[in-house]
Amino acid sequence: MVEALGLSITEVIFAVVNFLILVGVLAKFLYKPFLTMLENRQQSIKDAFDNAEAVNRRADEKMANYEKRIANAEKEAREIIKNAKIKADTQAQDIIENAKAEVAEMKLKADRDIEREKERAVADMKEQIAMLAMMAAEKILEKDIEIEGQEFIIDDIIEQAGASKWQN
Amino acid sequence: MEALNSIGITSPMITSTVITIFICAVVIIAGRNMTMIPTGLQNVVEVVVEKLHAFFVDLMGEYAGRKYFPIVATFFIYILICNYSGLIPLAGHLPGLAAPTSSINFPLGLAIVVFFAVQIIGIRENHGISYYKHLFKPFAFMFPIMLLEEFVRPVSLTLRLYGNIFGEESVISAFFGLVPLGMPIIMQALSVLMGLIQSLVFALLAAIYISEAAEHGAELAAEAEEGMKQLPTTNNL
C-alpha cells in the first residue's frame, strides 16, 4: 500500500534530515546574525535620532542664548553710543565755552594792548609835536630858546596838544 | 542515474540536496562580511529576513513569533525554492532534476516535522503533558475528534502541498505536449504565483499550529512582563 501511494520512507527521512540541517544552518548563519544586525541598526538609528534631537535642542538653546546676548549687546551698544553722544555734546559745549572764554580774554588782552599802544602812540606823538612845536617856535622867534628854564613853555604846548585838539 | 536509483536515491532527493546546499551557500556568502550599511546580497537577504520576521511575529504574536521564527521561516524559504525548482525547463524529465514538492514524500516529511514540532513545543511550553488537556476541551467527549484533528493536520498539509504542485506540473506538462510554444509560458507565470501561495499556506498553517501550542508559554511570558512592569510601581509605593 505504501508503494502504491508512491510513499518512500527513505525520501521522507531524507526530507526530514535535509530540513533539519537547513533549519540549523539558517538559524546560525541567517536568522541570528541578520536579526541581530537589524536590531543593532535599529538601535543605532534610534540613538542617532536621539543624539540629533539632543544636538538640535542644545543648538536651539545656544541660538536663543546668542540671540539674547546679541540683543543685550545691541542694547549696550545703543547705551554706549548714547552716553558717548551725551559726553561728546558736553565736551563740545565745554570746548565752545572755553573757546568763548579764551576769545573774551584774548579780546580783553587785545583791547588792553591796543589801549596801551594807543597811549604809547599818543605819548610819542606828543613828543613829536613838542619837537615840532619847539622847531616852529624857534623859527618864529629866530633864536634859540634856551632849554634850561623854558621847559614850562614846552610842557604847556604839549599839554595843549595832548588835550582835546590832538586826539583822534 | 540508474545506479543512484538502484541504491534508493531519487531525483527529488538530489534536487532537494542541491537546494539545501544552494540556500546554505547563499546565506553563508551573504552573512560573511556584514556591514552596518548593507549592500548587494546582504541587502536582499536582510529585506527577506526582515519582512518574514515581521510577518510571522504579526501572525504568531511577539513571544511565539520571535522564538519559533527560524523553523516557520525555513518552511517558507525551503518550500518556495523547492516549488520554483519545478519551473526550471525540463524539470521532472531530466534525471536528477525534479521539484521535491511534486513528490508526496517531501511534503509528508515536512508535515511530520510540523507534527512533531507542535507536540514538542506544546509539551515544553506547558511544562509537561498538561498540553494534551486541550484535547478534552471544550468537552471531554470530543476527545476522539480532537485527536483525529491532530493527526489530520499533517495529512492535510501533505496532500495540499503535494496535490497543488503535482497538479500544476502535470498541467504544464500536458499543455507543453499540446501547444509547445506560448501556452506553457502562461502556465509557468501562474506557477510562480502558485508556488508562492502554496509555500505561504504551508508556513502559515505551521505557524498557526506552533503558536497554538506555544499559547500557554506566551501567556506566562506576558504575565511575567506585566509583573516586571508593575515592579517599579510597587517599589515606589
Side-chain angles (χ1 to χ4, degrees), chain B residues 175-187:
Chain B
F175 271 114
F176 191 75
L178 290 169
V179 193
L181 287 174
M183 202 58 169
I185 295 170
I186 298 166
M187 286 310 297

Side-chain angles (χ1 to χ4, degrees), chain B residues 103-144:
Chain B
S103 155
I104 194 166
N105 299 305
F106 273 81
L108 180 62
L110 298 179
I112 287 169
V113 173
V114 173
F115 178 77
F116 282 107
V118 168
Q119 307 313 314
I120 293 164
I121 290 165
I123 291 168
R124 203 169 70 171
E125 294 290 343
N126 289 275
H127 307 294
I129 55 164
S130 61
Y131 164 64
Y132 292 106
K133 278 181 186 171
H134 79 277
L135 295 175
F136 299 94
K137 287 176 186 173
F139 306 106
F141 70 84
M142 288 181 77
F143 172 73

